[in-house]
Amino acid sequence: MIRAAVFISGRGSNLAKIIQQCQAGTLRECCRLVGVVSNRPEAGGVEIAKNAGLPVIVFPAEKEQTREKYDKALLKKISEWKPEIIILAGFDRILSKVMVKAFPNKILNIHPADPKLFRGLNGYKWAFENRLESTRVTVHLVDEGVDTGPVLATAVVSLTGAASLEEVEARGLAVEHRLYPKAVRQFVLQLMAGRNH
Ligand code: GRF
């Protein structure tokens, strides 16, 4: 079992899928969720986590707080969970080197686009405004850049005929929800295999 903490900022639909898969799906025997962090008290994902009985830390950043200071304080808060990996699921803060160095190659993120083409927030808006025929949802490891770490898994989302941003997002999220638990599973199985050597 690999102990995982999930970081969120919003709706939490990916969190919900990962919880589902940990409870009764493909992650059941390899991934244990030890807690959820939200930097936003109003995030829908907070309720999802609480309803699933998971420990939740709501930890908004202070004004003027540096990313390093925030991450240092957050590391302290989550230390009792003893997470081995961090799963970012819509966490809208850029991680500092403090967090990245504490979990080297152990932080996963899902990005709604091909990071070679688009990095940062609002990837579906970008796809919609550019009238893309498809976009590529990407799961990657987090390094010190923004959406620059090694790619673990990708899936193409057809956007043909998608007439609104909502439609683009709905199609993208449906693909994310299948891809992310699968990619997490592959990743933790590899970690577990490495541990046994
Ligand atoms: C997803 O589109 C994900 O790709 C991006 O943030 C969004 C999070 O959505 N990083 P949700 O909170 O999981 O519903």
Side-chain angles (χ1 to χ4, degrees):
M1 279 283 195
I2 297 292
R3 300 169 65 86
V6 184
F7 291 6
I8 60 159
S9 300
R11 182 178 46 200
S13 68
N14 279 289
L15 168 68
K17 291 294 161 186
I18 289 167
I19 291 174
Q20 246 177 38
Q21 294 301 318
C22 284
Q23 286 173 339
T26 57
L27 293 170
R28 197 162 50 99
E29 272 151 21
C30 55
C31 184
R32 168 152 174 234
L33 295 184
V34 291
V36 173
V37 168
S38 175
N39 62 325
R40 298 185 184 279
E42 73 282 7
V46 168
E47 277 315 298
I48 295 174
K50 284 187 179 160
N51 289 340
L54 292 172
V56 177
I57 292 174
V58 173
F59 187 47
E62 287 164 23
K63 258 200 191 141
E64 316 281 321
Q65 193 176 25
T66 62
R67 287 197 274 128
E68 283 75 13
K69 270 208 168 140
Y70 177 90
D71 285 355
K72 216 169 160 185
L74 180 55
L75 275 174
K76 217 166 160 186
K77 282 183 177 285
I78 63 172
S79 65
E80 69 181 49
W81 294 345
K82 298 190 172 45
E84 294 164 275
I85 67 168
I86 306 287
I87 300 172
L88 303 182
F91 192 58
D92 63 8
R93 292 182 59 83
I94 297 171
L95 301 185
S96 72
K97 59 176 184 307
V98 172
M99 185 64 72
V100 175
K101 283 195 171 136
F103 292 93
N105 289 323
K106 300 270 174 21
I107 306 176
L108 286 76
N109 183 40
I110 187 155
H111 182 64
D114 178 344
K116 288 200 291 293
L117 302 177
F118 181 86
R119 293 176 184 155
L121 297 175
N122 301 318
Y124 290 128
K125 191 159 174 258
W126 164 78
F128 179 61
E129 284 173 355
N130 288 283
R131 297 281 183 270
L132 301 188
E133 284 293 305
S134 66
T135 193
R136 187 180 283 274
V137 168
T138 304
V139 177
H140 64 92
L141 290 176
V142 175
D143 60 13
E144 288 178 33
V146 177
D147 303 324
T148 49
V151 169
L152 297 177
T154 72
V156 173
V157 184
S158 166
L159 300 179
T160 311
S164 63
L165 174 56
E166 288 67 34
E167 168 86 35
V168 167
E169 199 164 16
R171 288 194 197 182
L173 281 172
V175 173
E176 288 188 32
H177 296 160
R178 287 194 299 273
L179 183 70
Y180 211 6
K182 251 205 268 178
V184 169
R185 178 182 156 83
Q186 230 170 33
F187 182 75
V188 296
L189 288 180
Q190 256 169 28
L191 271 187
M192 286 163 69
R195 239 173 20 186
N196 294 333
H197 284 133

